[in-house]
Amino acid sequence: MADSLQQENIQPDDEEHGLNRNRILDAGAAYIENYGLRQLTMRKLGAELGVEAMALYRYVPSRDDLMDGIVERVINDLFQDPEVPGDAANGWQDYLIRLAHGLRRLALTHPQVFPLIATRPPEAPWIRPPLRSLRWTDSFLAALTSSGFSDKPAVAAYRGFSSFLLGHLLLEVASHGADIGPEESADPSKPRSATDLTAFPHIHRMQAQLSEDRSAEEFEESLEVLIERIGLLAES
Amino acid sequence: MADSLQQENIQPDDEEHGLNRNRILDAGAAYIENYGLRQLTMRKLGAELGVEAMALYRYVPSRDDLMDGIVERVINDLFQDPEVPGDAANGWQDYLIRLAHGLRRLALTHPQVFPLIATRPPEAPWIRPPLRSLRWTDSFLAALTSSGFSDKPAVAAYRGFSSFLLGHLLLEVASHGADIGPEESADPSKPRSATDLTAFPHIHRMQAQLSEDRSAEEFEESLEVLIERIGLLAES
DNA sequence: CGCCTTTAGTTTACAGTGTAAACCGCCCGG
DNA sequence: CCGGGCGGTTTACACTGTAAACTAAAGGCG
């Protein structure tokens, strides 16, 4: 019974009110972002879409595939990002920088989904999170080789690049209050208990610096260093 | 006689046939390593220990705490590692190198547990996986400052170090067949389906290089570069 | 010794999970 | 008109985490 009062849809992606794989995937991503990964349940997601849990199974073979679909879909958003070029027309440095920033943007937009991107088992051993799709991997390698890299250094660059991104972004996202954990977001009953740091004098002393968020600058600097290092790889 | 002797053992670590928090934690880590994270269930773990599921709750408040306990316990194995020094007596470079190798050893010994180490929500925002304990963080900062680093560069080094380790080790462990996924380990019914790579010519061409496992060398090289970079940070 | 409290583990119970299988109403092409 | 399939629901089941009640053995202490 569809009463005229429609609950506000967070992401009116596709127009039809019927179900649809992409609608499910998007709703799943949104749900994770709002309530955390642990809360994502077939029944709850169904309810979110105004449908019974089993209805989802017509479009998604299992919960695990649902999650894989979600990460795939989120990753493919990168192709929509106008700041991320499809090839290295402006040089490989430009390509890498823009790709890295695109991924960082993506991670910060989906802080709860990102750990999923990072740790879901890859379908092939050579696609490395967070790049995570044959399409992107190929695009990356194409960009480098088209810029004069030969195969071996291109692969080396691919490895260094993904490793750097994974480490940095996972940590940035985790520090940004991305409780992978279960529940509470707005429960002020936990005053964080201010753990007793007397046993850890260095942490205690540097607490200010440790709490400071320098992720953005660190990202830029490390990325710069990485690119420089990749540049050295070019001739070999 | 045997019953009259009292076990005033200060360290009742294990050995007794009775239950015990550390026994549970170790069994949990072993179980994850053997059957995968998804299979770790209170009942199954109980069965493994010859006990009913609910018995575990006397030593562990919940499944989530069980997992936190497991990662904590695994991480603390590092303190037992004779190759990893407790301080920077032989210089901070030596300390960092040995610590990094210790962590890599740990990751490779517990490939299934490591993703857990990497992604469990940290108890404080400044402890960064995979170092992951106040004790280790403080030890790290102590080592650096005792070697003449002042606070800011020490923290910067801490960040770069953890970020590098997390990225590299997570990827190395993932590529090493660490299916975070659910089930099968010895099911040969999946012939890997040899995905059609004609649409991805670069991947297809570089497949050999991509499949090559150069983790160890990359680890050494990147670590070296990182340390060099940290050295530059020292004066500031 | 008898009794009582504590400890260590079990039993029972329940709400919630993923998903297989059967079911049902509706639209549509013949 | 009719039958078939498409899209969704109902029912069912094995399994999960965990609260609560229970039981049996082990000290402690008069």
Side-chain angles (χ1 to χ4, degrees), chain A residues 180-216:
Chain A
I180 243 188
E183 68 289 6
E184 82 286 22
S185 4
D187 187 7
S189 70
K190 262 200 170 183
R192 237 307 156 233
S193 72
T195 24
D196 187 19
L197 290 182
T198 54
F200 308 103
H202 296 87
I203 297 184
H204 181 63
R205 173 164 41 87
M206 305 190 200
Q207 202 167 351
Q209 345 258 0
L210 283 169
S211 308
E212 202 180 348
D213 183 11
R214 299 207 351 109
S215 324

Side-chain angles (χ1 to χ4, degrees), chain A residues 4-133:
Chain A
S4 57
L5 164 61
Q6 174 117 351
Q7 59 172 20
E8 39 241 288
N9 201 348
I10 301 180
Q11 273 275 26
D13 193 56
D14 285 8
E15 220 36 61
E16 11 242 324
H17 70 301
L19 230 37
N20 167 330
R21 179 159 222 263
N22 283 339
R23 266 171 68 83
I24 294 179
L25 262 30
D26 290 343
Y31 199 94
I32 294 178
E33 223 45 77
N34 286 336
Y35 306 99
L37 177 56
R38 295 288 302 268
Q39 297 295 326
L40 179 64
T41 257
M42 299 307 268
R43 286 179 238 257
K44 298 220 196 98
L45 182 55
E48 194 83 353
L49 289 161
V51 105
E52 226 57 35
M54 288 311 289
L56 307 177
Y57 282 90
R58 200 165 295 271
Y59 305 90
V60 156
S62 77
R63 184 177 186 264
D64 276 324
D65 288 88
L66 167 66
M67 286 168 146
D68 286 344
I70 290 175
V71 328
E72 190 187 336
R73 180 114 168 110
V74 168
I75 278 294
N76 278 1
D77 277 5
L78 258 193
F79 280 107
Q80 252 61 33
D81 191 329
E83 303 287 328
V84 177
D87 55 28
N90 287 80
W92 60 270
Q93 293 97 334
D94 176 75
Y95 175 88
L96 288 192
I97 291 177
R98 294 180 110 86
L99 177 55
H101 281 98
L103 266 162
R104 177 157 184 267
R105 238 173 284 131
L106 189 149
L108 294 181
T109 324
H110 306 280
Q112 299 282 341
V113 177
F114 191 76
L116 213 58
I117 297 178
T119 53
R120 280 254 115 192
E123 44 186 335
W126 6 281
I127 66 143
R128 299 163 57 100
L131 228 38
R132 211 157 219 322
S133 82

Side-chain angles (χ1 to χ4, degrees), chain B residues 19 52 54-55 58-59:
Chain B
L19 229 36
E52 224 57 35
M54 288 311 290
R58 199 166 297 271
Y59 305 90

